[in-house]
Amino acid sequence: MKVAIITISDGCFRGTRVDASGRVLKEAIKAAGWEVISHELLPDELDVLAARFREVCDQQKPQLLVTTGGTGLGPRDVTPEATSMVADRLVPGLAELMRMEGLKKTPRAALSRSLAAIRKQTLILNLPGSPKGAQESFEAVLSLLPHAVEIIDGGGH
């Protein structure tokens, strides 16, 4: 599976914070035997995010685009809105599963606004910005991702 990672964080983008969640996801994706085709940092800017999500999905054509960050309640947390702007269809069950599994570890998982969506042939997953939250959310849906990607690509049920 070809995977693109986008870390959304003003601090990481400016270089004042380390991209720990992106690193954790990169390791988890490689451990699953998948290929990371790109990994980039973007600021919490709605129009910048939506434009880049479109470009990555339409030009790089990953089977999976994983974002980390910008899913909370803060005024600059706009990742779900950017994802909604580019989505052809939402996949609510994946986001619900990530939150349900997260709730087993912390009640704060209920505050996540993570989305899962499809743009053309790419599955987009919004994960939390904390390394632990990103990893746990990814692990919650990991076993479903190969089948989801196969179905999006036109495979049978």
Side-chain angles (χ1 to χ4, degrees):
M1 183 179 314
K2 293 181 180 179
V3 184
I5 302 170
I6 298 178
T7 299
I8 295 124
S9 164
D10 290 331
C12 290
F13 182 74
R14 286 191 309 261
T16 58
R17 289 184 57 197
V18 174
D19 179 17
S21 58
R23 186 186 76 243
V24 164
L25 287 171
K26 193 176 216 177
E27 292 170 7
I29 289 162
K30 287 182 177 180
W34 302 339
E35 176 187 2
V36 176
I37 61 170
S38 65
H39 179 192
E40 59 189 280
L41 306 172
L42 292 177
D44 294 282
E45 294 291 341
L46 181 63
D47 293 335
V48 170
L49 295 175
R52 189 62 187 145
F53 293 174
R54 278 188 201 97
E55 289 170 4
V56 169
C57 292
D58 298 356
Q59 294 172 14
Q60 294 180 18
K61 300 182 191 295
Q63 293 160 300
L64 177 64
L65 168 58
V66 178
T67 71
T68 177
T71 62
L73 303 179
R76 293 196 46 82
D77 290 332
V78 295
T79 302
E81 287 77 14
T83 299
S84 292
M85 289 171 64
V86 305
D88 296 325
R89 296 181 288 162
L90 296 179
V91 187
L94 290 176
E96 292 164 5
L97 179 57
M98 290 188 294
R99 278 186 282 279
M100 282 178 26
E101 288 301 311
L103 283 168
K104 293 176 182 176
K105 297 176 173 95
T106 176
R108 291 185 179 180
L111 301 178
S112 171
R113 299 183 315 111
S114 294
L115 287 182
I118 300 166
R119 176 172 177 84
K120 297 186 178 178
Q121 298 302 115
T122 302
L123 177 63
I124 303 170
L125 285 182
N126 299 152
L127 305 178
S130 76
K132 185 176 180 185
Q135 181 169 359
E136 289 175 353
S137 293
F138 183 72
E139 289 172 353
V141 297
L142 178 62
S143 66
L144 297 171
L145 298 180
H147 183 65
V149 165
E150 180 182 340
I151 298 302
I152 292 167
D153 200 35
H157 295 278

